[in-house]
Structure formats: C-alpha cells, structure tokens
C-alpha cells in the first residue's frame, strides 16, 4: 500500500474541497429535499401553508440564481470525513478543514456565527475551540461531507434517557419534541432520530440521520412522520398538513439497562453536500 | 381567501385584516432587532413612526445592496414593542409570532405580519436600500430603511386579538394529548 507523502498539496486540496462543499451546501438545496418540498406544496390544502411553501421554493430558486446562501443563518460547520488507508490521519487534516471553513466564510460569504460559549466573543471566521465539529472514520476514499447547522432548529433538539420498558414511547417523545418546538425551528422540518448507543452517541446518531436521503422512509419512520404532521403545526407554525418533510432514524446497540433517544431538529433548509478529494 | 396589497404609510385598512389573511406589502420598512429597539427607547425613533412598518431583521448589506434579509424571531422583541405601537407604528413584521401581551397592544391599532423564515434571498430580491440609522450598532442591529416591492406576508396577529400562532399552538397540544393519552 502506498502511503501519501504528507506534503502541503494534500492539505491544500482538503481545504479547497471543504470550501467547495460548503459553497454547494449553502447555496443549493439537495435535490431530494427540494423534491419533498415540491411534493408537499402540491398536496397541501391549507392556503396559508401553500403560500409559505411557495415562498420557500421561490427563495431556493433565487439563491441558486444569485449564488447567495439560502438563509442568512449559514449555521455552524459540522463536517464528516472518511479517511482512506493511504492518508496519515494527523492534526494537519483537521487544520486543513479549518482553513477551508475560514476560506468559505470570507468568500461565499458566510455569517460569522461561532462565539466562545460564556464570553460570547466571535472569532469572525466560524472556527474556534471544537469548531468546526469534525467527525472522522476510516473509508476507501477521502470524502468530505458538510452539514451547516442553523441555531433555530438546533435549539429545540432534545435527548432523553428512556427506560428499556418504554420502547413503545419513542414516537411520543419525537412528536412531543415538535409539539414543544411549534414554529420556532422553521418547519417543515426533517427530524433526525438517534436510538441507542450512549447519552452522547444517541445525539451523534440523530445528527448523522440528517445526512440520509429524505425521499424514502421505512414504516417506523413513516408512522412517526405522519403523527408529527397530524399536529397541524404546518410551515412556520402557521398551520397546515406539512410539519415534517421526513423522519430518519439511526440506531446503535446500547446497555441492557438503557434506551437513549435523541431528536435533532433540522429546518426546511436541510443543507448538506459531499465531495471526494482526488488523491 | 383575502389577498390584499398594502402600502406604507399604513392606515385604518390594517384594522380590517384577519389572522390568516395573505397580503403583500410595498413601500418603506425599517429593520430593527433588540439593540435598535433599546436605542430608540433611549434616543427616540429616527423615522416617522405614524403608519410605519417595522421589520424584525438583521440583513446582510453589501455597499448599497441588500444581499440577504430574512426575518428573525420576533418573540425577542415581545417586551420592546409597546412604545412603537403607541407612537403609531401599524405593522410589526417577523417570524414565529409574538406574545398575547403584544396582541393586546396591537388591538385596535395594528397588526403582526409573518414572513417565511429562511427566505433571505427572496426577501432581498424585493428590496432596495434607501438609508440607515444607528449604523454604529453594526450591520445586523442597525436600522436600515428599505423600500419593498410586494413582499408576500401572512397576517399572524390581527387588530382584534386574533392570533393564528396561538390557534395552531392550542390545536397541536390538543391533538398531541389525543394521540398519546391511551399510553399514559
């Protein structure tokens, strides 16, 4: 197996492709998400809800046409890497991703959203301690997936440690999360649900579930999605049949005495993009 | 379904609107978030408030161009809006609705209009920048004077206390209890 020389070319490429992925995610809504919004607009009978979905579709088209971000809350950068055997996984990989985020912030441009948690000092470039949030795992190729995460929907996300005997109440917890959130997360939302693992692992699974395509759901996901839509919250909390575009579930094995469940709420602007870095 | 084209300065026509009506707004709006409200309470309102519309928004401005101007969460201005309504402001614009307290302040005087969250590019495409006040507060918090061309809005709270957000909230809670009561 050939191991790449850890020269600056590789890291420059990682920075450049991180920036490209962010540009794609911020400006172009993924096709599967757009299709779900279009389908909702076609089937929605509430005139206010139809109007809101029409505005969203018009906005998505304008953003693409003008090459500007879909929403002014351009989020915080959440980044997933797959690292091939040929690339030494060092601190320099992290530094390259951070350089890409800084480049994206100044060139797209993105709103600088990252602050220190207590003093609220803004770094101005969307990087800081633990930011971007980088998750890496081994893979065959070097890929960079970005998930810019806005605050409105993140702020209404929840984790709960259910009892193993409460397996039947997972759907209730997810629906309750939207009942409490109302219009605040800018519905129609995508709900990422993490079941199992550990306290923190369930939350990570819930976020990863937001990377799954929204154009198909299994019967469990569909049942929860239908229940959320039966709440009638509708686009922006103004009422209607479209509160969730999709519910996506990811699971991991857990302790026999635990049942962690997390719901990561995502606004209609379910922004994500994946690029492969040629090596 | 009513769809009314409104333009500023707004008058008694807003009193006839009902929560859930779709409208468009043309004319002048003034952006204001938390800091601008506090400054206006201290130093006075820098524009003619009578018949005016105030937009809860922290836009991205580049030179003399509005780049992105989606709505911010209006609830943060719940305790900061009474003085504007008393001075004759007829419409507050934002996302997510406002408190019952604000709904009472608007009674017989004005309305709350909802604009679709996240639609920053659509809003900017209907806007022209005319001026700015309190620029020292920074881009997001300054008061930007913006000319609107038919911005599509929904009446969230009307001048009779009707509140579409409150209706939806109560219905959702009732439906949630109905759905899961058997399991409790």
């Amino acid at each position: 197996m050939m191991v790449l020389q850890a020269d600056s070319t590789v890291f420059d490429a990682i920075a450049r492709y991180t920036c490209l992925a962010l540009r794609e995610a911020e400006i172009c809504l993924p096709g599967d998400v757009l299709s779900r919004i279009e389908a909702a607009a076609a089937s929605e009978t509430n005139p206010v809800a139809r109007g809101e979905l029409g505005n969203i579709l018009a906005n998505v088209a304008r953003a693409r046409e003008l090459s500007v971000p879909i929403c002014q809350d351009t989020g915080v950068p959440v980044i997933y890497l797959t690292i091939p055997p040929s690339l030494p996984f060092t601190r320099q990989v992290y530094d390259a991703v951070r350089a890409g985020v800084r480049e994206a912030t100044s060139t797209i441009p993105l709103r600088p959203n990252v602050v220190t948690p207590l003093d609220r000092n803004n770094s101005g470039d969307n990087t800081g301690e633990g930011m971007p949030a980088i998750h890496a795992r081994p893979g065959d190729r070097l890929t960079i997936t970005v998930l810019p995460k806005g605050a409105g929907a993140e702020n209404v996300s929840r984790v709960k440690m259910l009892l193993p005997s409460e397996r039947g109440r997972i759907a209730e917890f997810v629906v309750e999360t939207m009942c409490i959130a109302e219009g605040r997360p800018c519905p129609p939302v995508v709900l990422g649900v993490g079941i199992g693992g550990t306290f923190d692992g369930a939350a990570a699974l819930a976020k990863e579930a937001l990377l799954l395509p929204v154009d198909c759901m299994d019967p469990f996901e569909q049942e929860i999605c239908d229940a959320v839509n039966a709440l009638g919250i509708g686009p922006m909390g103004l009422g209607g049949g479209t509160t969730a575009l999709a519910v996506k579930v990811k699971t991991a094995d857990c302790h026999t005495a635990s049942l962690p469940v997390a719901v990561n709420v995502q606004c209609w602007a379910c922004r994500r993009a994946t690029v492969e870095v040629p090596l | 379904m009513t769809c009314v084209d409104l333009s500023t300065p707004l008058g008694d026509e807003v009193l006839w609107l009902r929560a859930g009506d779709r409208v468009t707004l043309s004319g002048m709006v003034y952006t204001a978030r938390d800091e601008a409200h506090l400054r206006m309470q201290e130093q006075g309102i820098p524009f003619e408030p009578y018949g005016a519309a105030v937009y809860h928004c922290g836009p991205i401005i580049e030179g003399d161009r509005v780049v992105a101007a989606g709505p911010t969460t209006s609830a943060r201005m719940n305790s900061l809006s009474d003085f504007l309504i008393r001075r004759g402001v007829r419409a507050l614009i934002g996302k997510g609705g406002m408190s019952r307290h604000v709904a009472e302040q608007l009674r017989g005087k004005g309305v709350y209009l909802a604009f679709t969250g996240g639609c920053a590019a659509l809003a900017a495409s209907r806007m022209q920048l005319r001026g700015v006040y309190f620029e020292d507060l920074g881009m997001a918090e300054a008061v930007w004077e913006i000319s609107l061309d038919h911005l599509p809005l929904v009446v969230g709270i009307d001048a009779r206390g009707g509140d579409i957000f409150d209706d939806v909230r109560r219905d959702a809670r009732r439906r949630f209890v109905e759905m899961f009561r058997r399991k409790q």
Side-chain angles (χ1 to χ4, degrees):
Chain A
M1 182 188 68
M2 192 192 76
V3 173
L4 287 170
Q5 290 295 313
D7 63 26
S8 62
T9 323
V10 179
F11 303 118
D12 287 350
I14 292 173
R16 198 165 63 249
Y17 277 84
T18 298
C19 181
L20 277 175
L22 280 166
R23 175 177 291 277
E24 166 80 15
E26 295 282 359
I27 294 171
C28 302
L29 198 66
D32 60 318
V33 180
L34 186 57
S35 296
R36 287 291 303 120
I37 298 173
E38 285 168 344
S43 65
E44 183 63 74
T45 53
N46 178 311
V48 170
R50 284 179 77 93
E52 294 301 295
L53 295 170
N55 286 350
I56 289 170
L57 291 171
N59 183 70
V60 169
R62 290 298 287 182
R64 188 183 281 260
E65 186 185 316
L66 301 170
S67 278
V68 297
I70 296 165
C71 176
Q72 76 274 2
D73 184 354
T74 49
V76 293
V78 182
I79 292 170
Y80 298 88
L81 304 175
T82 61
I83 307 289
S86 60
L87 179 68
F89 183 39
T90 62
R91 172 192 283 273
Q92 285 164 293
V93 173
Y94 279 74
D95 290 344
V97 172
R98 294 163 70 88
V101 168
R102 283 194 284 270
E103 175 73 8
T105 301
S106 63
T107 58
I108 294 174
L110 304 179
R111 195 171 74 179
N113 285 329
V114 172
V115 301
T116 55
L118 297 178
D119 300 331
R120 314 303 288 182
N121 291 321
N122 195 315
S123 65
D125 63 8
N126 281 319
T127 71
E129 181 74 39
M131 274 293 166
I134 301 173
H135 308 271
R137 61 180 47 162
D140 298 327
R141 294 167 299 169
L142 175 56
T143 65
I144 302 170
T145 297
V146 300
L147 176 75
K149 197 70 176 68
E154 193 78 347
N155 285 349
V156 294
S157 300
R158 296 201 301 163
V159 182
K160 188 171 185 181
M161 303 303 283
L162 295 183
L163 300 174
S165 62
E166 292 178 314
R167 291 197 291 283
R169 300 189 69 169
I170 292 172
E172 180 181 348
F173 175 63
V174 179
V175 178
E176 183 188 57
T177 299
M178 265 320 283
C179 195
I180 294 168
E182 302 164 0
R184 281 176 291 168
C186 285
V189 295
V190 176
L191 298 175
V193 180
I195 302 173
T198 52
F199 173 75
D200 56 313
L205 283 172
K207 182 153 271 119
E208 282 174 37
L210 296 174
L211 297 173
L212 299 171
V214 295
D215 48 14
C216 61
M217 283 185 272
D218 69 23
F220 181 55
E221 292 167 338
Q222 187 70 57
E223 180 196 332
I224 301 174
C225 190
D226 291 346
V228 169
N229 284 327
L231 292 173
I233 292 168
M236 300 302 144
L238 288 164
T242 315
T243 304
L245 297 171
V247 173
K248 299 304 295 183
V249 175
K250 281 197 95 163
T251 63
D253 294 354
C254 60
H255 193 294
T256 183
S258 292
L259 179 56
V261 179
V263 182
N264 198 190
V265 183
Q266 169 63 57
C267 66
W268 63 260
C270 188
R271 297 166 288 191
R272 47 175 149 76
T274 298
V275 294
E276 182 181 344
V277 184
L279 291 175
Chain B
M1 193 67 198
T2 318
C3 189
V4 180
D5 293 322
L6 300 170
S7 57
T8 63
L10 296 164
D12 283 348
E13 70 275 18
V14 301
L15 305 180
W16 300 101
L17 297 170
R18 289 292 164 267
D21 284 352
R22 294 178 64 195
V23 302
T24 71
L25 181 64
S26 300
M28 215 61 86
V29 291
Y30 301 89
T31 69
R33 290 167 48 124
D34 316 54
E35 295 299 326
H37 280 76
L38 293 170
R39 177 72 68 87
M40 287 191 285
Q41 283 179 334
E42 282 169 18
Q43 299 183 5
I45 304 169
F47 52 87
E48 172 54 59
Y50 195 78
V54 169
Y55 182 24
H56 301 148
C57 167
I60 300 175
I61 306 284
E62 194 173 60
D64 59 358
R65 192 170 70 97
V66 183
V67 177
T72 194
T73 301
S74 296
R76 292 203 315 277
M77 271 58 79
N78 277 342
S79 64
L80 300 171
S81 298
D82 191 32
F83 77 104
L84 292 172
I85 299 165
R86 280 191 281 106
R87 289 287 307 280
V89 169
R90 291 284 201 163
L92 305 176
I93 306 166
K95 79 175 172 89
M98 299 188 78
S99 64
R100 287 308 301 162
H101 201 55
V102 175
E104 287 310 314
Q105 290 160 2
L106 286 168
R107 194 180 283 275
K109 293 181 178 150
V111 291
Y112 172 79
L113 303 172
F115 182 58
T116 316
C119 290
L122 173 65
S125 71
R126 307 284 174 94
M127 292 176 162
Q128 283 203 304
L129 186 60
R130 300 296 185 200
V132 62
Y133 306 97
F134 307 145
E135 203 172 358
D136 61 296
L137 293 176
M139 189 190 291
E141 300 290 342
V143 171
W144 297 96
E145 184 178 25
I146 290 169
S147 160
L148 283 186
D149 178 17
H150 291 88
L151 192 70
L153 302 162
V154 174
V155 180
I157 303 172
D158 64 34
R160 290 185 180 181
D163 182 344
I164 194 169
F165 293 98
D166 203 43
D167 294 346
V168 168
R169 178 182 303 124
R170 277 188 281 111
D171 279 351
R173 285 177 186 169
R174 180 178 51 75
R175 288 169 183 169
F176 176 74
V177 170
E178 280 169 8
M179 255 187 270
F180 294 102
R181 188 167 36 197
R182 64 199 156 79
K183 292 180 183 170
Q184 283 170 356

